Amino acid sequence: MATKLIAESGSTKTDWVLLRNGKILEQIKTDGFNPNLQSAGDIVAALQQQLQLKHKPDEIFFYGAGVNSRITGLLVKNALKAFFHTTKISVENDILAAARGLCANKKGMVCILGTGSNACYYDGKKIREQLASLGFIAGDEGSGNHMGKRILQHYAYNTFDAELRQYFEEHFGNDLNEIITHLYKQPFPNRYLASFAPLLADNRGHFMVENIIEDCFNDFFHHHLLKYRQSWRNPIYFTGSIAYTFSDVIRNLCDQYEFELGTIEKNPMKGLIAYHK
């Protein structure tokens, strides 16, 4: 029986699960990978440092953020081929992982709200409708990256009150020049911006915090879900750390927009394991 390795990768972390005869042999977490921000060599180097499996996979099913074209898919595939020395490799984007993991063979709208964001209509077998993803610079509405931008703006423009300014400075520092240098000169600016999001989780109930969360999610609903007629015809499923952390706000917004809420999962791996068994 083939040993299957499933990888579900966002921009911040990757969950790896090794299966044999439908049973889990190993589970490992590594950093996330994004072929829009990394070369094949960068990915191989990260795998060499972080991924140490006791068993060799026969087949690999990789789902990743940033796999949005033939070029980025091939880049990831070449990196995995170089590291694992196998040719049985399937590379798909993270929204298909969410669809298979959350919907299985059912129809639904599928949303990712993690470091980045995305949405699609899934017909139970394939993704049938999907708007363009503009990435962390021009898109990612409702994501940790999006919320991080709002947090940084509120701090830098003196919008935060004393309580939230103190929290920000205690956790992220008060040197704006250093923060800006990190943002524009260091790798993975999307991860860096998303790292500010715990300020929101740790200060629930504060009116500015609630406004940022709801405004960012409303942007996601307006720019994505409201553009699909299928949003009113099918359950809407959410996955990702941001969706899971602020699930109460998502539930309220689904009620307001008269959407049927499916499930909200931290990640789709449980469903992916069932799918690939």
Side-chain angles (χ1 to χ4, degrees), residues 131-266:
L131 297 176
S133 174
L134 296 179
F136 73 96
I137 293 176
D140 274 355
E141 295 83 5
S143 69
N145 163 52
H146 185 203
M147 291 179 176
K149 290 178 188 176
R150 293 289 181 87
I151 291 166
L152 182 55
Q153 289 167 348
H154 275 56
Y155 176 74
Y157 302 153
N158 292 323
T159 305
F160 277 153
D161 61 12
E163 177 186 351
L164 293 179
R165 286 190 65 83
Q166 181 179 350
Y167 180 99
F168 186 97
E169 291 174 356
E170 287 178 353
H171 290 79
F172 311 116
N174 62 358
D175 188 336
L176 266 178
N177 288 329
E178 184 178 330
I179 290 170
I180 291 168
T181 298
H182 191 140
L183 180 60
Y184 286 97
K185 299 295 185 182
Q186 297 297 318
F188 302 107
N190 55 336
R191 283 186 199 171
Y192 182 59
L193 285 169
S195 73
F196 297 146
L199 178 147
L200 303 177
D202 291 346
N203 291 278
R204 291 300 305 270
H206 191 294
F207 77 96
M208 289 187 187
V209 165
E210 298 302 321
N211 285 344
I212 290 173
I213 298 167
E214 188 165 338
D215 286 350
C216 289
F217 282 162
N218 259 315
D219 282 351
F220 178 80
F221 275 62
H222 277 283
H223 291 297
H224 298 278
L225 290 178
L226 294 183
K227 301 294 177 67
Y228 296 86
R229 67 185 185 280
Q230 298 293 349
S231 293
W232 287 272
R233 300 177 179 177
N234 299 277
I236 301 178
Y237 297 83
F238 292 85
T239 187
S241 57
I242 294 296
Y244 189 79
T245 300
F246 305 114
S247 58
D248 60 310
V249 183
I250 288 175
R251 289 190 180 93
N252 289 337
L253 286 173
C254 283
D255 286 342
Q256 290 178 30
Y257 288 104
E258 299 183 344
F259 291 155
E260 179 187 352
L261 178 62
T263 58
I264 303 174
E265 304 285 347
K266 194 168 187 179

Side-chain angles (χ1 to χ4, degrees), residues 39-45 47-48 56 60 74-89:
S39 67
D42 293 334
I43 294 173
V44 171
L47 290 172
Q48 289 171 340
K56 179 180 172 60
I60 299 167
L74 187 60
L75 185 152
V76 173
K77 191 169 187 176
N78 286 339
L80 296 173
K81 183 179 178 181
F83 180 76
F84 288 104
H85 304 291
T86 182
T87 56
K88 291 185 177 181
I89 301 170

